[in-house]
Amino acid sequence: EINKIALVGHGATVNHIHDSRVVKKEKIGVPESATGIIKCINPDCITNKEALQTKFSIKKSPLGAECFYCETKMDEKEIVSSIQ
């Protein structure tokens, strides 16, 4: 879930709560890879035809993703609309 937040909410902060109190605040950065989070936009990608978990390498600036299997590149808008 944190990786989903990191892809959508640039510079987001996650609050760790224990006994109804915030015990730690942590800024999350964009992950280097994403597995099982993004659906590939390429209808011919093997992940859309077989029961395989998707894998993407993530580029931070500008935000982009590249499918490990078919090498389809996605921009930020495509990533956000394809998050599972």
Side-chain angles (χ1 to χ4, degrees), residues 23-56:
V23 293
K24 181 180 176 184
K25 291 187 175 200
E26 180 179 5
K27 281 205 177 264
I28 53 175
V30 177
E32 292 181 8
S33 63
T35 302
I37 296 174
I38 305 168
K39 181 179 183 338
C40 187
I41 59 171
N42 178 359
D44 294 326
C45 181
I46 190 73
T47 61
N48 289 319
K49 297 180 182 280
E50 302 286 333
L52 287 174
Q53 196 170 46
T54 60
K55 295 179 188 178
F56 286 86

Side-chain angles (χ1 to χ4, degrees), residues 12-80:
T13 301
V14 173
N15 295 325
H16 297 268
I17 299 173
H18 182 68
D19 291 332
S20 301
R21 283 195 253 170
V22 176
V23 293
K24 181 180 176 184
K25 291 187 175 200
E26 180 179 5
K27 281 205 177 264
I28 53 175
V30 177
E32 292 181 8
S33 63
T35 302
I37 296 174
I38 305 168
K39 181 179 183 338
C40 187
I41 59 171
N42 178 359
D44 294 326
C45 181
I46 190 73
T47 61
N48 289 319
K49 297 180 182 280
E50 302 286 333
L52 287 174
Q53 196 170 46
T54 60
K55 295 179 188 178
F56 286 86
S57 60
I58 306 297
K59 186 176 95 175
K60 295 179 185 188
S61 184
L63 184 62
E66 183 176 338
C67 180
F68 174 79
Y69 297 101
C70 69
E71 299 179 349
T72 295
K73 291 181 172 44
M74 298 169 61
D75 62 23
E76 182 173 4
K77 184 178 177 183
E78 293 166 326
I79 292 169
V80 171

